[in-house]
Each structure stands twice: as structure tokens, then as C-alpha cells.
Amino acid sequence: MTGTGDKPFIAAVKPLVDAIGGELLPPDEAGPDDVVLSWEGADVVAVRLPQLADSLDHILAALERKQGKPLAELDRRAKQEIVRNLEARGAFSVRHGVETVASALGVSRFTVYNYLNREKGA
């Protein structure tokens, strides 16, 4: 990216960028939708944010890694908790979000809607 003094800054933001499924770029390669991060008055690195649908896939993959097994193998209560957390993160505002989550959890769209409605009624 830029000078060697910027490496600690880049190392500090990399876990966040990785967690959201973004990409680090040199600042001079930033496009209009990229976010350029500056440190001590100099542009250090640009972050290319993922498309929302890609973010959902990235979040689901991270949840699977955290659980240590495919999400479809979780019990009903764990799946309900995942749906609750995903709803709080806006996952169902993404086009085909319910279908994507249902597929990852190994349940039907109807089941995901039931989990969502159950939370609203609780």
C-alpha cells in the first residue's frame, strides 16, 4: 500500500475488513464506492466493501466456522438464535436473504419465516 510506517494501521483494520468480507487496496486504486482510510494526514489504504448479498454469504460462512460444523446440523434452538441474530444485522433486507439463510440452515423458507414471526410474537 504505502510506507512501512503504515503497516501497523493496515494490520489493525484488516480483521475488521476481513470480517465484513471487504478488500484492502492501495488508495490510488480506490473507486468511487470505496472508502479511503487516512492516518496522520495521509491516505493509507482503501477498503472495497462487498455487495450486500456477498456479505450475507460471508456472515453465514463465519457463523459456520464459529459453530464448528455446518449450520444445517444445528438444533432448532440454535437455528432460531442464528435467525434472530441475522435479523438484527439486517440480513433479511437483502434480496433473497430468506432463501439464502434457509438454504444454509437446511430448512424451508417457511421455517425461517416462522422463526421470524415467533420472535415478533414473543
Side-chain angles (χ1 to χ4, degrees), residues 14-36:
K14 187 173 182 343
L16 175 61
V17 173
D18 289 346
I20 63 170
E23 179 184 354
L24 295 173
L25 305 165
D28 60 343
E29 292 181 19
D33 294 330
D34 297 333
V35 179
V36 177

Side-chain angles (χ1 to χ4, degrees), residues 1-121:
M1 312 280 141
T2 57
T4 57
D6 299 330
K7 286 183 182 174
F9 178 81
I10 294 169
V13 299
K14 187 173 182 343
L16 175 61
V17 173
D18 289 346
I20 63 170
E23 179 184 354
L24 295 173
L25 305 165
D28 60 343
E29 292 181 19
D33 294 330
D34 297 333
V35 179
V36 177
L37 302 178
S38 298
W39 184 250
E40 297 180 348
D43 292 345
V44 176
V45 66
V47 178
R48 179 153 298 151
L49 300 172
Q51 298 297 313
L52 286 176
D54 294 338
S55 291
L56 181 54
D57 289 337
H58 191 81
I59 290 167
L60 289 167
L63 286 169
E64 197 163 271
R65 284 191 304 276
K66 183 178 178 183
Q67 296 293 330
K69 61 182 170 181
L71 298 179
E73 293 179 8
L74 299 175
D75 63 25
R76 181 175 52 87
R77 184 175 300 233
K79 290 177 182 181
Q80 289 171 334
E81 181 68 23
I82 284 174
V83 167
R84 184 172 33 252
N85 289 334
L86 290 171
E87 181 181 30
R89 295 175 78 173
F92 301 111
S93 63
V94 175
R95 187 167 189 234
H96 302 298
V98 170
E99 292 87 346
T100 301
V101 171
S103 176
L105 294 177
V107 299
S108 68
R109 290 180 317 148
F110 181 75
T111 298
V112 172
Y113 284 119
N114 278 341
Y115 291 168
L116 291 168
N117 290 332
R118 184 170 186 229
E119 288 304 313
K120 288 182 172 84

